[in-house]
Amino acid sequence: MQRGLKPMQRILPPAMLGVIGGGQLGRYFVLAAQRLGYRVAVLDPDRGSPAMQVADKRIVAPYNDPTALERMGKRCEAVTVEFESVPAGSVAHLERHCVTAPRAESIAILQDRVLEKRFVRGIGLPCAPFTPVMVAGDLASAGCYPGILKIARQGYDGKGQVHVKNAAEALAAWQNLGEAACVLERRMQLDLELSVVVARSADGAVRIFPAAENRHSAGILELSVVPARVSPLLAERAAQHAQRVAECLDYVGVLAVEFFVSEGQLLVNEIAPRPHNSGHYTLEATATSQFEQQVRALCGMPLGDTTLARPAAMLNLLGDAWSAGEPDWQTVLGDSQGVLHLYGKAQARTGRKMGHITVLRESAADAAAQAEACLERLERGGREAALRVRKQAA
């Protein structure tokens, strides 16, 4: 059981909560907490970050700044994290002052791919064949080719990952990555990708959101469809695997487990100790969002209902869509069942998550088709706007 948090010990509004990290996931945590009557402090080095814009208290400092952590720990009754790369030592520091969820030990495992893969294998869950890479000789593992060389720490959205066919390519890639600690993972034949968001409270209660079917582009999540268009048996098995991860970690909070489906079999890919991009659909499609669930778990409150009210598709909006200026939002706002979310980021960059669109329909197929049509209209509008700019320049 987590230090400082006894079963059913409840932190009630208007207590001050804290979140380390100022991105969009932190922003939605702040909004969910405030809706329930809590106040929230955000610690982030960027004063203009999405979560900072809506925070009750702003602590502008690096994530490992001892003075800032001391301030947060003394001011807040409970603190959570927004992303997995928050230093585990920072969370351990806060544990001396207040409740934290997740624990530093969980974060330390899940922010290091070597520890994460060993944990998954150690609890008997399936994953792709892999080998840790600490020295050049580790790249000789024949069972991992063709493979993907992944940097062990700080990699996300496909960053720090290189596809390699053999040991010679892997050595060159490893050297280009600065000979950092890596994982070499066999590249599997993929049927599709799934993710499951699960919440677990300090008393061991678990609530699982419906599995999402995900499509990535250049390593970045592009589209999530819920419910996933897989057999009920496979969806149930994914939920069971996600629950096992949470229970074996003795996890408190919200986490997401990403799966590969290869030749009909589930393989655990990655685990995120936080709400997940693929769980954004819960803001509209379930009674309790993943962010409210994060607040509830942190504060020792009963977990909420995760039943899917309507099928949904979530479409990520990347900075690419701003290449010709502000997109034409009439494409989205004209759909009575489409919901636009913009994160308040000042600068659009290629590959940067600027917002998302959720579409609700009577079936997963209809929701996915509408999201695809929306993306096509946005892209077409961007191309037309770019053409107008070029003609005016000429």
Side-chain angles (χ1 to χ4, degrees), residues 264-340:
Q265 301 299 310
L266 279 174
L267 301 173
V268 176
N269 177 29
E270 294 181 354
I271 307 166
R274 53 169 174 79
H276 196 257
N277 196 181
S278 67
H280 283 334
Y281 76 90
T282 65
L283 288 162
E284 283 80 35
T286 57
T288 309
S289 75
Q290 62 173 345
F291 303 102
E292 180 178 334
Q293 210 77 294
Q294 186 182 21
V295 176
R296 286 173 172 269
L298 177 66
C299 295
M301 301 296 290
L303 299 176
D305 183 13
T306 59
T307 304
L308 187 69
R310 295 189 69 188
M314 189 284 301
L315 176 71
N316 257 337
L317 295 173
L318 303 181
D320 312 52
W322 276 253
S323 60
E326 194 74 20
D328 181 5
W329 299 121
Q330 293 183 79
T331 298
V332 183
L333 297 175
D335 183 346
S336 62
Q337 298 181 72
V339 184
L340 173 65

Side-chain angles (χ1 to χ4, degrees), residues 73-96:
K74 290 180 177 178
R75 186 72 183 269
C76 299
E77 293 194 38
V79 176
T80 189
V81 299
E82 192 241 4
F83 66 112
E84 58 267 46
S85 296
V86 169
S90 296
V91 179
H93 182 101
L94 284 165
E95 287 177 350
R96 299 197 292 267

